[in-house]
Structure formats: C-alpha cells, structure tokens
Amino acid sequence: MHKVLLSAFLGLATVALLSSTSLAATYVDSAHGSVFTCNYACHVLHGAGGSTLVGGSNAQTLCLSCHGPGGTSTLKAAIHRPAGLLPGDITCLECHNPHADRDNVEGALNDKLVGFQYDYNAYPVVAYALASIRQETTSGLGAVNNVVFQTAADFSRPAGNGPCQICHAAGPVAGTGAFANHAWGTDCSVCHLHGDGFAKHQCVECHDTASGLSATAPKVLTKAGITAAAVGAHLRVLSADAVVGLNDAQWTTRCVECHTGHSGDVLIPNKTGVGISYLQTGGIGLGGSATLVGATSEAEICWSCHDTNGISEWGGNTDTNGTAANYNFGGLYAVDQTTPVSNWVDAWWKSGTAKFSYKTGRIQSTHSANDAVVGSGVDAVDELRCSYCHDVHELALAPNDSKAGKPYLRGSWMGNPYREDGAPQALDTWSTNGSFGAVPRGGTQATQQGGYQIDQNNGDPTTGGLPAQQSPVTAAWDLTNSAGLCVLCHGNDVDNLNQFGDSADAWVGVLGNGHSNAVIGGTGSHTSNIFSMAMRNPSTAPLYTAKGSSQGAPRLAYGNAGAFTDTWPFGDNNTDFWAYGFRSQNSNGFTLSPQVTAAMPFAYRAYNWGASVDDTPDPHYHKFSCSKCHNPHASRLPRLMISNCLDTKHNTWDDRATVSTLGTTTTYAPENRGVTFAMATSAQNCHRLADKANFPNATGDGWNRVTPWTVEGTQDNPGIP
Amino acid sequence: MNKFFSPIACLGIGAFWLVLTLSGCSESNQTGGPGTVSPTLAMSTPVRVTGTSEGLVLVSDYDKSAVLKLDPVDLRITGTISVSGRPTGLARAGNEVFVGNESKGNVEVYALDSGGYLRRLGGADHLFGLPNGIAIDAAQGMVFVVDSVARVVKQFNLDGSSAGADIGGGLLAGPTALIVDAVNQLLYVSDYGAPTSAFGDTPSIQILNYAGVLVARIEGTTWNFDRPQGLALNGSGKLFVAEGVAGLVLVFDVTNPLSVVSFPSIGSGALNMPLDVYIDPRNNDLFVTSSLNSEVVVYRGGGA
C-alpha cells in the first residue's frame, strides 16, 4: 500500500524536473508542462506545513482540484477504490507521473501521464527508467510492472501490459456464458469510467432512461415498471426470456447476448446521419454470447436470430403504408428454389406471383447502406449494415424518426401499394376489358396481374384515390412521410437521385433521370420525353389522311384519328374519327383477334389512362413511391429494382393460340411487320422495351437501361455500372 | 502519501460556530424522519450549493446526478431533482432551478417544486465546455454562466435567450465559479489562473462589471489561496470563498473592492475539497459543500 515519504519524493522529483534524464519526455513536453508552470499548477516552495504542494494539500486533492467536479479540466477523474481497498490505498500517483509522459517498454511514449517514474510505495523511493505501475491487491503490494498506454485502446492490451491489467484479469475473451466474454475490447474506460473511479457498472446504469451516469449514452429501455409488452422485440433473444423484474446485473446478461459491451467481433461503425454517433465507442458492438455461432457479420446475426424466431423479411410483411394495400412481392430461396433462406447473398429470388416464374433468378443487387461500398451489385455479407436503416431499440436518434414500431426503421417508409408488375402471360385474361377487347391493360379497370401496375390501375394510392395525373400526392405520401428513411442517406434531391455510376447511362431520355418526373419529391427538372411518334413510328407512319385510313399503322390505343396531322400518339380523342386497325371488327381493318368490342372502331373513346395528348411530356403523370420500384433489401434485378414493368420480351400472352402475331404484310407500317401485339404501334405500353433481337422491326427502348429481365445471371447492358 | 480526511466526522464543533453536517456516512442524517426520504439519497459528491426564499438548501450532487433539497435545520434530504448527467453549477430564481450539466454541456432549468425539466439556456446542448458556475441577477432578469473551458462568462435572460456577448474573454484564465453583487452590478469570478492569463499564473477573484470590464482583483498570491471555487456575499459586504485544496472558506471584506480586507478563514480541518458556500440570508447560516467528505457542513451564523 501507499507508504510514501514525501520528502524523499520531493528530492527526487526536483532532480527530475531540473535535469533532463535520458528519457525522451520532459515536463515541458507533458500535458501539464505544456500549459502550466511548476509554481502555478501544483507547487510552492514554502507551503503550509512544509508541503511543496499548493495549499498544503496532498497530491490527490490537488489532482482533483482540476480533474474533479468543479475543476477546470475536461479530463475528469475520481478516486479508484476497488472493493476491499480503503480511501487512499490507490492514488493518482500510483498510475500517473504528473511531470511527464514516460517512455514505455515498447519504445514509445505513453500518453495521459500513465506510468510512474518513482514508486512512492518503496522506501527509499525507487526510480524506474520505463513507465511502470505497481500491482496492488487486497492482500498487499505486488510487483512493479512495465505499463504501455498510448491510446484509450490500451487499457487492456494483447501483451498484457495495459494499465488495468497490472492488477486485473479481464477474463476470457470469448465464450457463451453470461460474462465469460467480459473482455469486450481494449478500452475498459468505456464502461469503467475514470470519472467515477473506474467503478463497475451494469449496462442499464447508462442505458436506462432514468439513469444519469451518462447523459450521452443512448437510452435503450425503462426498467422501472417495465412490462413484457413494452419491452419490444430486441431486448431478449428468445420470446420466452424474462424481461420483467430483472435487476441490473440480469439486464446485463440480456444485453450481452447480442452486444459485447462496446466493441466485440462485429462493429457497426458510426453513421451520424442515421443517428448512430457514439463517440466513445465508434459504433455499435455486436457479437454477444447468443450471436457468435455461425454469425460473423451484423447481417448474419440478424438473420440467425430471426430464423430462430420465425421472422422473415420476405413474403407478406409488416404493414408500413397505412391504409394502402399490401402485397406479397416474393421471397428468397436456396439454389434448389424451394428452401427459404434469409441470407441475401447468393440467394435465389422467386416472385410471390407464381405466373411470373420467368423472373426467378439469383439476387443481383443488395442494399449495403454502407458508405464504404462504391459500386452497385451484390455486396459482401459483412458489408451489409442493417442498423443503418433499422433502429431495433427504437432510440429514434435519426432526424424525424418517430418510433413507428416494427420494422423499427430510422425514418418514414411507406411500403409498396402497387401490385407486382409482370409481363402478360399465356392464358391471362382480364375481367373488364372494355372496348379494347381481351388485351392486357385495355384500361385502368383491368387490374388483374399481367402487365404494368401504375397509379391509375391501383386506385391512385399516393394521391388519396384521386387521379394521380391531376392531383398532388397526399400528405401521407410526400417525400418526408413516405421515404424519410431513404432521405437520411440519399438526400431529398430526387431530380438528381443516383447512387452509382452516371445517371445518363442508366436512364432512357436525354435529360437522364427518370426519378425527376415520376417519383414523389421530384420537381420534373430532368423530365425527358420518352414516348413520342418519333420513337414508336420512326417510319413517320401513321399519317392519317381520312377516316379509316392507315389501318396498318394505328396509333396507341387506336386514338388520334381526329387530327390527321397530329404527331402525338394519342391524338385528339374529342371527335369521332377513326382509323381501322389490326383488331377491328370492321372488315376495312384486319380483324385480328382479340377484336375490339365496339361495332365501330371507337375503342379509343374508352381510353382512360389519363395521359394527355399535347406535345409535351405530362408533368408528374406518375407519382410513384420509392417502394414502387425498389426493394430496400435485395433484388433479383440490378439497382434493387423490383419492377421493369414494360419489358415485352417475357410477354407470352401474345403466344396464345387465339392471339395473332402480326405478319409481315407490307400493308402494315414497317415497325409493325412481324412483331407481336405487345410491340405494335397500337399497344398501350408507352415506355415498352421491345425485343429487337427477335423482332427487328419492333420499336420501344424502354425507360431505363439497367434493369432488364434477362436470363438469370445476364445483364443486357453490362457495360453500364 | 495521500491522507484523506475521515468521512465519519458527521457532527462536530467548528472554531466559532455550531457545525452540523450531512454526509453519506450517517444513516440517521441521511434519512431524517421516518418515511420522508429514501436511504438511497445519501449524498455523494456535493458541488455547488444555493438556497430558496423558503429556506430550502439546494445542492448539486455530481455523482448522484441530482440536485438535493435539504432541510436547513437538520440537513435532511427532503427531495431531489433528477438530472440526466453530471450536475455542477447551480442557481435559483423564483421557482426555477438552473443546473449546469457537465455531461451535456448545457444549463438546464427545472421547476423547483416538481423537479420537472423546463428548458435549456440557449436551447441547445454543448454550448458550454464546463458550466461550472451560475449566478442570477433576478432584478435584471440576467443569468451568468461561467464556462471553465471557454474561459468566459456567458449571459442569458431568464427565459434562456441570449443576453449579449460573452464577457471576461482575455481576462479569465481558469474560471470556476461566480456570484453576482446585484446591488453594484458586479460579478465576482473565482479564477485558478493560468500562464495564458494577462495576469500570469496567479489565481484570483476577478471582479468584473456586467459589461465585462475588470474592476478589481483579489490576488491569490497576496491572500494565500490557490484553488478558489464557489463564492457567497452577505449583506454586509463580506465575501466568502471556498478554497478547494486548502480546505478552507476564506473571508474578505469587499465593501471597497479596491481595498480588500481579510478575516480569519473558516473550516480548518473540517472541510475536504470545499467547492461552494451559501449564506442563508435569514440567519447568516453558512453552508459549505465538502465534496471529498460527501458532506454539506453548516456553520450556524457563520456567514455573518
């Protein structure tokens, strides 16, 4: 214990101060000496009672006058008083040399004045060349040992010479017992604060809402009066685990099932923008006693526990879009395409709609949410950052996070209210075809799957049921409310929203970003006209000259016959002019099946999609949510896309026996010769992607270049990043 | 080497005054009357002390994360105001208690009666490096906060809005605590000093007017103090200063700040790192936080 003779120390200290030793550090280099002079900070030559310390105080009181409450230093310290030791048994000077940082045994300089030069417990006082600390135990003094402390991560070191290790064994570094893995890293001071004398603390002493030990620690729970219902899903591993009536130590056993203190095998680095900004720890530590088996990454830890508890992020899921509809958008499977799996990487995705089996394929893109990832595609599993989107303890530390419950998101997110798009398949029928006959998407009333699903045939979900092409999005579906989570990382500049590569490469259209005019939050500043007669009818047909003419080159929806020189697709539908087309009942047309149902070819009068017919693109005809097109986790398509609604290559409806494929007669306009109905000039699929490889006359470039439904593992435009 | 004062001196007689203490060492003193106080409220690390017009004594307890309400007669803890963080500076205005929260770097305002949180000065955290001292001129509606890291005094209105630019910059080197002389509109600021100070290393009590102009200094080298902490001013012009390392309360006559006179100090041998003093204006009882002894010591009539 501490038996220092002050006079002996003072003599040695004076020598040390006034004459440089062979060691690198001197007083003026130290944290104290670089600011304070001897006689200001600590010493007087003729102090009270013979003391050379100011105020006649003892060294510890002097230290605490600055480092204790009310003192001027931000480096706070309190007396270290382990169980069994009395006040004064361990003092500041037994770990610190107040005069200089000392060289350590590893040839570097210690920090924070750790390691003494003089052992005050010895008599006569012994000087040590290297930074040292004497072991002190409840049974007496131990040996003097070298100590290394260069950063806060050196409290416990692999070499065993960190300052805490002089006296303490941290315990095994791994294991599955409640405290078997107490060695949660090397910065012991994260839990054992110097500011309160390195006292032992349980997790809830900082992380309970009522705790005051740390104002900055995230408050994870309120243990007082807690009920099982109030606990939430992520304060225990198994639903049967007790959470009511636990004492502080028992809470720690709960916490360490997932967390390893503030370090551990898996560290989720801070990401301030999403509310993860833990300055003492650098992030969230995972890898607790219940997580390490087979799980070495954050995502694997989540998936493992979810699998154990029967929780899937696929198929029908948590309702996040209020009163809007919810659908099953498919799931992940092993390579056998039968066994459900949770791991995104290398998984196979199958649509939730059986007839869209052409989509089945391996995952092509994952959402890492990780700033360190700089390219699109499938990320390595240890790059996935679940916590950047999910706030499993509902701390609500991200901007505008309103604690909306499952799935514990850090911001607003409205799930997909649109049915799944898919190419019309053989034998598909639509119960309410209207005048256009039994074709896909003859009007907004045809809602059965097979074909595109947009606002107008899904009840205009983002505009409160009002026609999306005419109405603003409702408050519940503005960018803040429907995609606040996305905005945290991707920002709110929807016009220029583009995560990877050059958006001009990815989008069809000269202005290069379809988000701008089709997605909630866009202003339209990058609107491109991606549907025009020049695109659909490059041969310049149809050129109507009279009623009933140009039946082999009908315009979209058989419209526009009224304005013979109109260069726009839908033309003027206000006057009953007509052009016979492929499917007319009238023999002046081609009478192909399935025929329009009107006696006269007035089907265009039933056109009800609401797109205007003027010569400029419709502003915000679409008002899609982010969820309309993107899966936030993983997708069979690149760029997390779940939709390429107009890829006609997978349309098999045209192949059914009663549906004709157009022949090659020269009475058809050139772009209609030998193409399917899905690629005809009359087809109501404005931004379709034609199968030009098999139907070279077909027109239609789609609306983007990066999400084709190609053969599994193949991308149409591999050169586009 | 390090001799600690024993924490068992819960009741003693001072040099001139009756001394009564409350500390963590005595169960009876901690809990007072049956059923009135939870035993868990034992004092731990008292920092600043002030009082209310009703006679309650308020103490910020650093390690208890609370402001303790003490009965001035027997020093029973009669209630607490919970603070999420480490409370340091402390002042009162009417029914509101202003608390420096070291952990959050802010000054929080609580309702005295309910203990409910009301607001923060400036409306934000981390406005202060160390909000160690708070003083209020209720007549002017002014709150002064000494920031030991920024080495300035920040000014606010009682509603938390800013009341002007920081003062004391360039003068204060290691400020720890302050008090207002509302009559003369002066600030008395305890200052450890530092080589960066315009006055060198010397600790001092700096006396500034509300504009931040230095009026006078009480020099530590002249009056033999090194770690000046909390202060109190009585109605007859006596200034009481807690001296942290010497374990004393220094007493000066500052009727004329330019010509200070000292009196015998108080507390020798009884105080261990005193951090603040408060004088009950009703009876001049002097309350002193003895932080390392986990006590508040009262000298009956000692503030006269």
Side-chain angles (χ1 to χ4, degrees):
Chain A
M1 302 302 176
H2 217 176
K3 307 297 182 187
V4 173
L5 287 182
L6 179 61
S7 59
F9 157 69
L10 290 172
L12 287 171
T14 303
V15 170
L17 286 169
L18 299 180
S19 63
S20 177
T21 70
S22 61
L23 301 175
T26 64
Y27 177 67
V28 296
D29 298 320
S30 74
H32 286 160
S34 61
V35 178
F36 302 118
T37 56
C38 309
N39 64 335
Y40 157 70
C42 302
H43 293 288
V44 291
L45 292 179
H46 305 288
S51 171
T52 62
L53 298 181
V54 295
S57 65
N58 62 56
Q60 187 141 286
T61 299
L62 188 60
C63 296
L64 294 176
S65 71
C66 290
H67 295 285
T72 54
S73 173
T74 56
L75 298 175
K76 294 304 182 188
I79 300 166
H80 185 34
R81 193 178 298 171
L85 295 182
L86 297 173
D89 281 345
I90 296 180
T91 73
C92 308
L93 296 180
E94 289 178 81
C95 291
H96 296 279
N97 170 36
H99 296 129
D101 288 319
R102 304 291 297 162
D103 283 7
N104 63 41
V105 69
E106 296 182 357
L109 203 61
N110 273 358
D111 190 25
K112 299 289 185 292
L113 307 173
V114 170
F116 59 58
Q117 180 179 10
Y118 300 104
D119 176 19
Y120 312 135
N121 289 296
Y123 179 75
V125 174
V126 177
Y128 289 85
L130 297 174
S132 303
I133 294 177
R134 181 185 287 279
Q135 182 185 31
E136 297 207 34
T137 70
T138 54
S139 58
L141 296 174
V144 172
N145 296 295
N146 292 315
V147 62
V148 175
F149 186 82
Q150 295 165 216
T151 72
D154 280 339
F155 279 102
S156 177
R157 310 182 78 248
N161 53 12
C164 296
Q165 294 165 295
I166 302 298
C167 300
H168 301 278
V173 296
T176 56
F179 286 98
N181 56 348
H182 171 257
W184 294 325
T186 56
D187 184 357
C188 308
S189 69
V190 171
C191 292
H192 304 278
L193 312 177
H194 202 340
D196 61 3
F198 300 110
K200 292 179 180 177
H201 290 295
Q202 304 295 341
C203 302
V204 292
E205 289 186 68
C206 287
H207 296 291
D208 186 276
T209 55
S211 68
L213 182 61
S214 171
T216 56
K219 306 304 182 187
V220 176
L221 60 92
T222 303
K223 65 179 182 180
I226 200 167
T227 65
V231 163
H234 290 94
L235 292 176
R236 54 186 169 189
V237 170
L238 300 174
S239 59
D241 290 343
V243 288
V244 176
L246 302 185
N247 60 33
D248 288 1
Q250 290 169 324
W251 268 116
T252 298
T253 65
R254 285 281 170 272
C255 301
V256 300
E257 288 180 291
C258 290
H259 298 283
T260 49
H262 296 286
S263 54
D265 303 275
V266 177
L267 179 68
I268 305 164
N270 279 337
K271 187 177 175 70
T272 303
V274 301
I276 301 175
S277 181
Y278 304 135
L279 300 181
Q280 288 201 58
T281 60
I284 302 168
L286 292 177
S289 57
T291 67
L292 286 174
V293 178
T296 58
S297 68
E298 178 191 9
E300 289 172 302
I301 288 170
C302 297
W303 291 327
S304 172
C305 199
H306 283 184
D307 288 345
T308 300
N309 287 281
I311 296 169
S312 173
E313 65 206 68
W314 301 97
N317 218 311
T318 303
D319 182 357
T320 58
N321 62 15
T323 58
N326 290 279
Y327 302 102
N328 176 357
F329 291 96
L332 296 191
Y333 298 87
V335 66
D336 64 8
Q337 299 178 33
T338 301
T339 307
V341 297
S342 292
N343 191 331
W344 307 342
V345 179
D346 293 330
W348 284 68
W349 179 83
K350 289 198 303 185
S351 168
T353 302
K355 65 182 176 182
F356 296 146
S357 59
Y358 71 89
K359 298 181 177 180
T360 300
R362 201 180 299 271
I363 288 294
Q364 292 192 51
S365 59
T366 55
H367 192 192
S368 71
N370 184 344
D371 293 335
V373 172
V374 295
S376 62
V378 178
D379 305 294
V381 71
D382 60 359
E383 293 176 324
L384 305 176
R385 298 282 183 265
C386 308
S387 295
Y388 287 175
C389 293
H390 295 277
D391 175 20
V392 298
H393 293 315
E394 287 278 54
L395 304 183
L397 297 174
N400 303 315
D401 186 355
S402 60
K403 294 189 178 183
K406 294 180 180 178
Y408 308 111
L409 299 174
R410 293 184 180 273
S412 61
W413 167 260
M414 299 285 265
N416 189 350
Y418 304 86
R419 299 176 194 87
E420 182 182 345
D421 300 302
Q425 298 297 294
L427 305 179
D428 277 352
T429 59
W430 292 268
S431 57
T432 52
N433 291 303
S435 297
F436 284 98
V439 293
R441 297 292 162 264
T444 61
Q445 70 280 3
T447 59
Q448 285 93 340
Q449 284 178 287
Y452 51 84
Q453 298 285 345
I454 60 177
D455 297 292
Q456 287 74 10
N457 60 335
N458 279 271
D460 298 295
T462 66
T463 53
L466 300 174
Q469 68 275 16
Q470 299 172 356
S471 309
V473 295
T474 64
W477 284 90
D478 64 21
L479 187 64
T480 301
N481 291 328
S482 71
L485 179 64
C486 311
V487 168
L488 291 177
C489 294
H490 297 286
N492 57 12
D493 182 5
V494 175
D495 294 327
N496 293 292
L497 187 58
N498 185 63
Q499 185 64 23
F500 297 119
D502 185 345
S503 64
D505 292 335
W507 291 94
V508 173
V510 295
L511 293 178
N513 198 320
H515 291 124
S516 181
N517 196 42
V519 178
I520 294 170
T523 69
S525 64
H526 288 304
T527 300
S528 292
N529 186 357
I530 58 172
F531 178 66
S532 69
M533 294 315 299
M535 294 175 180
R536 180 158 286 201
N537 299 80
S539 67
T540 71
L543 293 175
Y544 290 88
T545 57
K547 292 180 181 177
S549 67
S550 299
Q551 64 268 40
R555 294 188 171 187
L556 188 149
Y558 300 101
N560 80 353
F564 299 123
T565 58
D566 190 350
T567 58
W568 296 96
F570 306 126
D572 177 359
N573 290 333
N574 294 323
T575 308
D576 282 341
F577 292 97
W578 62 86
Y580 296 111
F582 305 121
R583 300 189 295 110
S584 70
Q585 293 183 350
N586 191 300
S587 59
N588 288 325
F590 293 94
T591 63
L592 301 177
S593 294
Q595 293 181 350
V596 296
T597 58
M600 293 293 286
F602 292 158
Y604 70 86
R605 297 179 64 187
Y607 172 78
N608 62 2
W609 289 102
S612 67
V613 293
D614 57 23
D615 59 357
T616 56
D618 286 9
H620 304 296
Y621 174 82
H622 300 301
K623 293 184 173 64
F624 294 147
S625 61
C626 301
S627 57
K628 155 66 179 163
C629 297
H630 295 284
N631 183 305
H633 287 169
S635 178
R636 157 72 172 83
L637 287 173
R639 310 303 180 94
L640 298 174
M641 289 289 293
I642 58 173
S643 173
N644 191 348
C645 48
L646 295 164
D647 186 349
T648 62
K649 294 192 293 282
H650 300 280
N651 182 324
T652 58
W653 173 84
D654 285 354
D655 300 334
R656 58 185 290 202
T658 57
V659 175
S660 301
T661 294
L662 298 174
T664 58
T665 174
T666 56
T667 56
Y668 297 160
E671 42 278 280
N672 284 326
R673 294 170 192 168
V675 304
T676 65
F677 272 145
M679 303 179 211
T681 56
S682 57
Q684 298 187 68
N685 49 9
C686 306
H687 314 303
R688 67 164 178 241
L689 176 64
D691 181 2
K692 295 181 181 179
N694 294 306
F695 304 94
N697 291 332
T699 58
D701 294 325
W703 52 279
N704 82 78
R705 300 189 180 98
V706 289
T707 63
W709 287 114
T710 56
V711 175
E712 197 284 316
T714 304
Q715 187 171 337
D716 273 2
N717 301 293
I720 299 174
Chain B
M1 175 71 181
N2 294 319
K3 175 188 177 298
F4 277 81
F5 293 108
S6 167
I8 61 174
C10 294
L11 184 63
I13 303 296
F16 304 101
W17 304 280
L18 173 67
V19 179
L20 182 66
T21 67
L22 170 76
S23 75
C25 65
S26 168
E27 191 69 15
S28 60
N29 269 354
Q30 294 167 29
T31 56
T36 57
V37 177
S38 163
T40 61
L41 295 179
M43 191 173 292
S44 178
T45 310
V47 183
R48 306 295 186 213
V49 57
T50 187
T52 72
S53 56
E54 296 76 23
L56 273 180
V57 176
L58 305 176
V59 179
S60 58
D61 190 319
Y62 187 80
D63 286 323
K64 289 295 183 185
S65 296
V67 174
L68 308 180
K69 301 176 183 178
L70 308 185
D71 183 307
V73 176
D74 58 12
L75 299 188
R76 286 182 306 116
I77 298 174
T78 62
T80 64
I81 298 171
S82 294
V83 177
S84 181
R86 304 281 200 182
T88 52
L90 182 67
R92 180 200 59 85
N95 191 42
E96 295 185 340
V97 180
F98 293 69
V99 185
N101 187 329
E102 178 186 291
S103 306
K104 293 183 177 178
N106 68 19
V107 172
E108 297 167 347
V109 186
Y110 294 85
L112 173 64
D113 296 335
S114 67
Y117 168 81
L118 299 175
R119 61 186 178 277
R120 293 169 294 182
L121 297 188
D125 293 338
H126 308 300
L127 292 182
F128 308 92
L130 288 172
N132 277 333
I134 306 171
I136 293 175
D137 182 341
Q140 298 296 319
M142 297 280 289
V143 183
F144 300 93
V145 183
V146 69
D147 185 338
S148 300
V149 175
R151 299 169 179 172
V152 295
V153 174
K154 294 180 181 294
Q155 308 178 82
F156 296 88
N157 297 305
L158 285 170
D159 65 3
S161 60
S162 174
D166 299 345
I167 60 176
L171 293 172
L172 304 175
T176 57
L178 82 170
I179 193 170
V180 296
D181 173 357
V183 173
N184 298 302
Q185 298 201 346
L186 296 174
L187 299 171
Y188 288 72
V189 185
S190 292
D191 192 336
Y192 280 9
T196 54
S197 164
F199 308 103
D201 276 0
T202 56
S204 65
I205 310 298
Q206 301 213 41
I207 305 171
L208 314 176
N209 64 22
Y210 283 7
V213 176
L214 181 65
V215 174
R217 298 180 80 239
I218 304 173
E219 296 273 356
T221 50
T222 302
W223 299 105
N224 196 28
F225 61 83
D226 296 284
R227 295 290 192 269
Q229 282 279 347
L231 315 96
L233 197 60
N234 74 6
S236 56
K238 275 188 177 177
L239 179 69
F240 296 75
V241 183
E243 213 293 356
V245 292
L248 298 170
V249 176
L250 310 176
V251 186
F252 301 97
D253 184 334
V254 292
T255 306
N256 178 358
L258 297 175
S259 181
V260 172
V261 175
S262 74
F263 297 100
S265 57
I266 299 170
S268 178
L271 302 174
N272 193 358
M273 185 71 80
L275 291 177
D276 201 12
V277 289
Y278 165 68
I279 298 167
D280 187 337
R282 302 172 306 167
N283 52 22
N284 283 325
D285 283 354
L286 176 67
F287 296 82
V288 187
T289 57
S290 182
S291 66
L292 287 182
N293 282 354
S294 303
E295 296 176 334
V296 168
V297 181
V298 57
Y299 297 86
R300 298 297 181 195

